[in-house]
């Protein structure tokens, strides 16, 4: 690949030879001028110059970037500017978004309800088997002790009702459990799809600006 100097780049500032510099590489934009969705003038105004910042500010898509290799002339001899691509900005924006939501990343939002339900289930089962009477799970418990109105007693009661249903009709109980799990899984899946889609700003028009 040809190594070019700034003098050479600056000399190619006409419509017939409109060279622009992007991230230290030199491109001849002339064949693409008429096809540029942002208009030919935007590129022509920058002919013979470094267009990296404005190019990235316009958040060009990966489709736009795929055009570049076909226009490549060479690389600039000296170029030490580090301009992040809007593609990497998108990655960082998604990352920052994750952090700003209190560390509740996609995997946590998936894991947390699972862990909590498992803990609650284990606790219910434990509480149920530790009941002093051990019988009458279906409706018993309302007159067990003075603490029955506390939330823990209510939860234990709920657990014992669940346990009674499960032992009375395990097939039905498993079907309900599977149904609930599927609804929950579908919810997690949909929120994840929305999240990932949201993070992919490159899918939207180039005029989308990154904050
Ligand atoms: C050879 C270099 C360039 C190529 C291959 C290119 C390619 C494209 C493509 C394919 C789009 C459509 C949207 C997308 O896919 O991102 C676009 C839009 C755009 N480009 Fe470029 N571009 C180049 C240089 C520039 C430069 C130097 C500017 C300077 C400001 C610029 C500004 C814009 C703007 C503002 C839009 C949005 C147009 C709109 O949404 O109406 N582009 N470009």
């Amino acid at each position: 690949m040809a190594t070019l100097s700034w003098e050479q780049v600056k000399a190619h500032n006409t419509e017939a030879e409109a060279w622009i510099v992007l991230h230290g590489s030199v491109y001849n934009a002339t064949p693409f001028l008429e096809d540029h969705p942002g208009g030919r003038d935007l590129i022509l105004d920058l002919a013979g110059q470094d267009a990296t910042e404005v190019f990235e500010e316009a958040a060009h898509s990966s489709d736009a970037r795929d055009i570049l290799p076909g226009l490549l002339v060479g690389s600039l001899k000296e170029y030490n500017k580090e301009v992040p691509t809007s593609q990497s900005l998108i990655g960082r924006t998604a990352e920052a978004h994750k952090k700003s939501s209190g560390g509740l990343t996609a995997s946590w939002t998936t894991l947390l309800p699972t862990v909590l339900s498992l803990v609650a289930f284990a606790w219910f089962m434990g509480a149920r088997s530790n009941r002093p009477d051990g019988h009458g799970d279906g409706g018993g418990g309302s007159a067990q002790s003075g603490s029955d109105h506390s939330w823990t007693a209510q939860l234990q009661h709920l657990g014992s009702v669940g346990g009674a249903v499960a032992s009375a009709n395990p097939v039905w109980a498993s079907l309900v459990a599977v149904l609930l799990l599927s609804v929950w899984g579908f919810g997690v899946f949909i929120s994840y799809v929305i999240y990932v889609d949201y993070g992919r700003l490159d899918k939207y028009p180039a005029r989308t600006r990154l904050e």
Side-chain angles (χ1 to χ4, degrees):
M1 187 165 57
T3 307
L4 304 153
S5 66
W6 265 119
E7 283 65 39
Q8 285 172 288
V9 173
K10 282 179 192 159
H12 294 82
N13 60 354
T14 63
E15 201 174 324
E17 279 180 317
W19 287 11
I20 57 166
V21 174
L22 297 175
H23 297 286
S25 295
V26 183
Y27 300 97
N28 178 14
T30 298
F32 183 67
L33 284 178
E34 298 306 325
D35 297 329
H36 186 223
R40 59 208 296 281
D41 290 346
L42 279 181
I43 297 184
L44 276 179
D45 285 350
L46 289 157
Q49 301 169 47
D50 187 357
T52 312
E53 269 113 349
V54 268
F55 181 85
E56 294 304 346
E57 271 171 30
H60 283 87
S61 67
S62 45
D63 287 347
R65 287 158 212 272
D66 288 346
I67 299 169
L68 293 176
L71 307 173
L72 188 66
V73 181
S75 72
L76 207 54
K77 206 180 293 171
E78 279 168 26
Y79 191 87
N80 40 29
K81 203 159 50 167
E82 285 279 333
V83 180
T85 68
S86 49
Q87 306 270 297
S88 66
L89 279 176
I90 287 161
R92 278 196 268 144
T93 309
E95 204 53 43
H97 172 75
K98 271 196 216 168
K99 283 190 184 131
S100 71
S101 52
L104 278 183
T105 59
S107 57
W108 264 109
T109 48
T110 316
L111 263 181
L112 204 61
T114 316
V115 172
L116 284 179
S117 348
L118 282 176
V119 168
F121 182 70
W123 188 75
F124 284 151
M125 293 321 263
R128 183 174 165 257
S129 60
N130 286 339
R131 284 177 80 94
D133 60 342
H135 300 292
D137 279 349
S142 57
Q144 290 300 309
S145 73
S147 68
D148 264 7
H149 292 296
S150 70
W151 68 271
T152 43
Q154 297 296 327
L155 282 179
Q156 284 186 19
H157 177 64
L158 251 183
S160 64
V161 171
V165 171
S167 47
N169 200 336
V171 178
W172 187 82
S174 333
L175 278 178
V176 171
V178 167
L179 185 79
L180 285 177
L181 268 177
S182 319
V183 171
W184 174 80
F186 186 70
V188 169
F189 174 72
I190 290 296
S191 44
Y192 189 71
V193 166
I194 291 171
Y195 172 79
V196 168
D197 222 31
Y198 224 82
R200 288 209 48 206
L201 295 178
D202 61 324
K203 283 175 61 177
Y204 298 97
R207 69 171 77 84
T208 308
R209 289 288 190 275
L210 295 170
E211 292 303 320

